[in-house]
Amino acid sequence: MENNRLIITMELKSCKFILTFIFGMGLLTASSQTPSSVFITAGQSNAEGRAASADKPAYLDKGYKHLRYAFVRSTQDGKFGKYKFGDTFAFCDVTNYFIDKAIGKDFYSIKCTYGGTSVTPGQYNKDEAGWKPVWYADSTWLANNKAHNSTDGGLSLVLSLTEGFAKCVEQSLGKLKNGYEVKAIMWHQGESDRNKPEEYYNNFKDMITSMREQIYSVTGREKDKTLPFVFGTVPHASRQYNPVIEAAQLRVAKELPNVYPIDFSDIPLKEDVLHFNSAGTEYAGKQMFNKLVELGLVEAKGLAIDNPSDDSQIAKSLTIFRPLKPNGKAIVICPGGGYEHLAIEHEGTDVARWLADKGYLCAVLKYRFPNGQCTLPSDDSRRAIRFVRRNAEKFGIFPDFIGIMGFSAGGHLAATTATLSDAQSRPDFQILMYPVISMSPEITHWGSRNNLLGKNASTLLVERYSLEENVDKDTPPAIIILAGDDNVVNPENSIRYYKALRKNDVPASMFIYPEGGHGWGMRDSFGYKKQWMQELEKWLENLHWK
């Protein structure tokens, strides 16, 4: 009996070993049959890399185990080799490092970059106009031009990239035993089109479409017609930043499938006020990697990263009100004033004192006035949210319960922060008091619009800062409070925003009192002061945790 039991046990163990072996071999076979990943990097100087290699992150000194690299703009031989750092490093070098660690097997990086290049022709001075290549992708123009490289000297960088890719497939990728798969194009550019920003929208859209079509013509894979295109925006501090370019990029991202923007607006720059410094380059590279992970293009966990922007200036712009009995929640308050002054007391400090008495840590923001530089106020409000969130432990608050409150034009700023920010800078809820929302001529508050966008605002900017057009599923919950007889800011602003929130299934409440006009804030003269304060308290108490 004992021998029989021993035999049965041995047989069971043998079966288990065989099954484990077979299952393991199956996984090994499946893994070995996976196509090799290909990542493409393109753009101008910040994609090429301008941060000094001497300042690169220490982990890059280890080099790459699995990266196979080809720079196709200068050489079109279709061969891949090992990557070696020169005098500078780029964000893709950081991205590739983390891809290397995550994939653990050979992958391929194709790069086509050229500093100072535009998408639209004719952006340069007369000495450069005859030879500087461009990313223009008009079909007629492409048919009459050739790829730019070190031997042919053509003007088309789109052809440099796509013909270089085709050569890589012919000479290398097409010969891989298990094939290859193009995962994404990573892009950064926009500064050099600043002088013809109105042309950028169509040209950027054409460029992405052309790249995809020509890659598809080589691979024959249907999904490459909508190949993921991931790009970073231009830093707002850049001396070559143009808000219309950014608005054009973001509009294209909404209209074309699989186009994904990353907010690079606060990336720190070198002394030239143009190129990413080493910290900014690393941050950009990590952000790119996280986006690839988020899209399922790399199997890995996202990296924990923080925006490297300087907190010192925004800290000076915030007046903090600490509660005696804290509830762990915080609110950044943006007073109104038409983007030209601040109603700092009855729409700022008085509100903060009342909410602090209710347990909320409050930070009143003295944001900068735009004078036509439309990003200045929202740069400040986004930094304020990040500053409070980054110092959550110090302030004794929860990092995921930080809201924003705004009055009139400050309401527009609050809604801008809620709708146009990335995850790091986005508040967790929004309180909008008789807000300006839209830049549309029929309902806008013209003083706020002119101060924010200028008197001859681009259509692209009007669309971007008409916030009812920018609500999506990630927009945080909102409460909107106003008077129905407001003859300064048309109540239709609030109504359109409320409808947009509900359309996108964003929790929203709106209270319209029959009279009271505009700009009352904490003033006792508003007949419904007690009611709105009670409704806001109740709404805040009933907010759901994420």
Side-chain angles (χ1 to χ4, degrees), residues 246-264:
E246 182 177 65
Q249 290 178 329
L250 296 172
R251 181 177 172 186
V252 169
K254 290 174 69 173
E255 294 179 355
L256 287 182
N258 284 344
V259 176
Y260 305 98
I262 303 177
D263 185 358
F264 283 1

Side-chain angles (χ1 to χ4, degrees), residues 99-115:
I99 293 173
D100 193 289
K101 287 187 65 177
I103 291 181
K105 64 175 186 176
D106 285 359
F107 71 101
Y108 295 80
S109 172
I110 296 174
K111 187 171 180 177
C112 182
T113 54
Y114 195 139

Side-chain angles (χ1 to χ4, degrees), residues 26 70 101 109 156 216 224 292 373 375 417 429-430 445 519 528:
K101 287 187 65 177
S109 172
S156 175
Y216 163 71
D224 287 340
L292 297 178
Q373 293 181 289
T375 64
T417 315
F429 57 92
Q430 49 182 322
H445 178 252
Y528 299 91

